[in-house]
Every structure is written in structure tokens, then in C-alpha cells.
Amino acid sequence: MSGDLKKSRLSVLSSHLTPESSLMASEKEAALAVAPSDSPTIFDKIINKEIPATVVYEDDKVLAFRDIAPQAPTHILIIPKNKDGLTGLSKAEERHTEILGRLLYTAKLVAKQEGLEDGFRIVINDGPQGCQSVYHIHVHLIGGRQMNWPPG
């Protein structure tokens, strides 16, 4: 990894650690600054309890925790504990169908737990143009306010 790419990647990762979103002008810039990779991510550190997170749900397969830069009153990230090469939805293979279903079912459970009876949104960003900035598949569960359409 080149020095410039490494610095850019560190900047993006540190932007996910601090609540001040002013560190990165936008999520779009963060997504464009990170090269897709199978390398360990900030989510791996959260799974391994190396970085603290506000966990709202955990079982043997998935972990759900509050986003540190929420886009709505409720904004939770749901991730598989074992990435298994699934850096993004476009990398999914048939062998991933069980964990993909588990992520969505967990989103339903957490939405109920969070009192989102009136509805919620599920988002999976994929690739630089999809605004993905962490290459460990993750589901955003967003709710607690009226969503708009079309999304950005």
C-alpha cells in the first residue's frame, strides 16, 4: 500500500472513530478515499472489542451497534461477525445467502426492539459510487423520523 493511500485510509478510519463529521467533508469523500480491500476494518476491531461501541444486539453470527454519526434518531449498523470475504453486497456468493438473510432478519428484530413500529429504512452501501467507506458488509437500520424519497 502506498504511503498516500495508507494516509488516506487512516484518515477515513479515524473519521469513523470520532463523532465530529467535520473531519471529512462528506461521506462521499470518505468513500472515494478508501480503496476496496479485504484488509481488516474498524468493524473487525469492534467485533474483537478493541474499539468500544454501543452494542444493541449480539448473537453468535451478527453484531448491531449505534452509528457514531447518526443520520436519524435511530441509526444502527448490523454486521456479520465473520466477514468471510463479504466486503460488500457485490461480492456476495451463493454461500453468503444465510448470513445475508440473518443480517436482514436481525434488522427486523432490532427495529422492533428500538420501537420503530411506524417504519424504518434499510441501506446497504456498495462500492465507491454507492458511498461505501468500510469494506465489511453492513446494513444501516435508520428510523425514528419520516424518510424522504428518493434517497440521496
Side-chain angles (χ1 to χ4, degrees):
M1 184 180 297
S2 77
D4 287 341
L5 183 58
K6 189 178 259 183
K7 284 180 187 174
S8 177
R9 186 164 171 75
L10 286 172
S11 174
V12 169
L13 290 176
S14 64
S15 77
H16 283 83
L17 291 174
T18 57
E20 295 86 22
S21 17
S22 60
L23 289 176
M24 292 301 277
S26 71
E27 281 297 313
K28 179 180 173 185
E29 288 181 10
L32 294 173
V34 177
S37 165
D38 257 335
S39 300
T41 69
I42 190 170
F43 293 166
D44 294 301
K45 291 181 178 191
I46 290 171
I47 291 165
N48 294 329
K49 310 295 187 216
E50 297 168 25
I51 295 175
T54 305
V55 174
V56 297
Y57 179 90
E58 183 173 10
D59 65 24
D60 60 326
K61 303 280 186 197
V62 299
L63 181 68
F65 53 93
R66 296 200 186 281
D67 193 299
I68 62 165
Q71 301 301 304
T74 301
H75 187 164
I76 294 168
L77 299 174
I78 304 162
I79 62 174
K81 287 184 170 181
N82 179 5
K83 186 167 44 174
D84 189 27
L86 195 52
T87 56
L89 191 56
S90 61
K91 302 298 183 193
E93 298 175 9
E94 188 171 346
R95 67 190 169 97
H96 296 122
T97 57
E98 183 180 334
I99 194 62
L100 290 170
R102 184 71 163 259
L103 290 170
L104 291 178
Y105 183 70
T106 300
K108 176 255 186 195
L109 294 177
V110 173
K112 183 174 183 176
Q113 172 185 303
E114 293 289 314
L116 300 176
E117 293 86 10
D118 290 337
F120 53 90
R121 179 168 287 165
I122 297 297
V123 176
I124 300 174
N125 300 329
D126 190 86
Q129 288 196 352
C131 218
Q132 183 178 5
S133 58
V134 178
Y135 284 85
H136 183 133
I137 194 162
H138 54 287
V139 172
H140 294 259
L141 169 64
I142 303 168
R145 68 167 168 81
Q146 179 61 55
M147 298 291 123
N148 296 312
W149 196 259

